[in-house]
Amino acid sequence: MAFEVTGRLLIIYSTFAKYLEKKWEYNEEVHQLFLDFKKAYDSVRREVLYKILIEFGIPRKLVRLIKMSLTETYSRARVGKNVSDKFTIRNDLKQRDPLSPMPINFVLEYAIKRVQVNQGGLKLNGTHQLLAYADDVNILGGSIHTLKENAETLVAATREIGLEVSADRTKYMVMSRDQNTG
């Protein structure tokens, strides 16, 4: 499975690189917005996650197993040599857990499918207008206006499922041969 995912990522990257080369060749701008979500792994509402997984056709048995792995999870905080009492974690996905990118991917895919993305955005293989993996999202467009519309729509959709964008850590970039752009 890891090879299959890696292969897909390489195909997307290759297509994206070819797209950027063509835009550069024809001296067209590519506007990119790198979204950063505030505490994405901490803010996903578990009950929403379970509904999303079922809606995507994940077998209920597997959803129950995921639910069991996230239910009744506790943590402790260490400051210096002092360790706190244990406390319950209610919304957290285990960030260093190998399973964690999968739920975030489903949550973002759910939000993306709810978004009617503007036609002026980037299309890779006729379908992609953004690149996403885990909690990293790169929205692309041919103009700042298109990029802004797509970003606002996606931000609204992700807010509904508990994700909030960090404006301080979100970055904007224009790729162009013209040095005065942006």
Side-chain angles (χ1 to χ4, degrees), residues 43-65:
S43 57
V44 173
R45 296 184 201 114
R46 290 180 180 174
E47 291 306 317
V48 173
L49 170 65
Y50 306 142
K51 289 177 185 173
I52 290 170
L53 293 173
I54 290 168
E55 189 170 312
F56 271 99
I58 303 300
R60 290 187 184 272
K61 183 175 184 175
L62 186 55
V63 173
R64 281 193 305 271
L65 287 171

Side-chain angles (χ1 to χ4, degrees), residues 3 6 28 33 36 39 43 60 64 80 82 108 112 114 119 122 125-126 128 133 146 154 164 167 172 176:
F3 178 74
T6 304
E28 295 178 11
L33 187 66
D36 183 80
K39 300 182 180 183
S43 57
R60 290 187 184 272
R64 281 193 305 271
N82 300 323
L108 283 175
I112 291 164
R114 298 287 176 273
Q119 293 302 311
L122 168 70
N125 294 332
H128 300 24
Y133 180 75
T146 300
L154 182 61
E164 186 180 343
Y172 169 73
S176 173

Side-chain angles (χ1 to χ4, degrees), residues 58-139:
I58 303 300
R60 290 187 184 272
K61 183 175 184 175
L62 186 55
V63 173
R64 281 193 305 271
L65 287 171
I66 292 169
K67 192 173 188 176
M68 286 171 50
S69 75
L70 296 174
T71 302
E72 294 187 29
T73 52
Y74 301 94
S75 189
R76 295 175 188 255
R78 178 182 294 180
V79 178
K81 293 182 180 182
N82 300 323
V83 178
S84 74
D85 294 333
K86 69 180 180 179
F87 53 90
T88 305
I89 300 173
R90 290 186 175 84
N91 284 340
D92 189 16
L93 296 175
K94 300 170 190 170
Q95 191 162 1
R96 301 207 188 332
D97 186 337
L99 180 65
S100 292
M102 185 268 311
I104 291 286
N105 283 343
F106 276 109
V107 166
L108 283 175
E109 182 70 19
Y110 178 84
I112 291 164
K113 284 184 180 277
R114 298 287 176 273
V115 173
Q116 185 66 32
V117 181
N118 186 317
Q119 293 302 311
L122 168 70
K123 290 190 178 185
L124 301 174
N125 294 332
T127 58
H128 300 24
Q129 295 187 27
L130 55 84
L131 303 171
Y133 180 75
D135 62 340
D136 299 316
V137 176
N138 180 5
I139 302 176

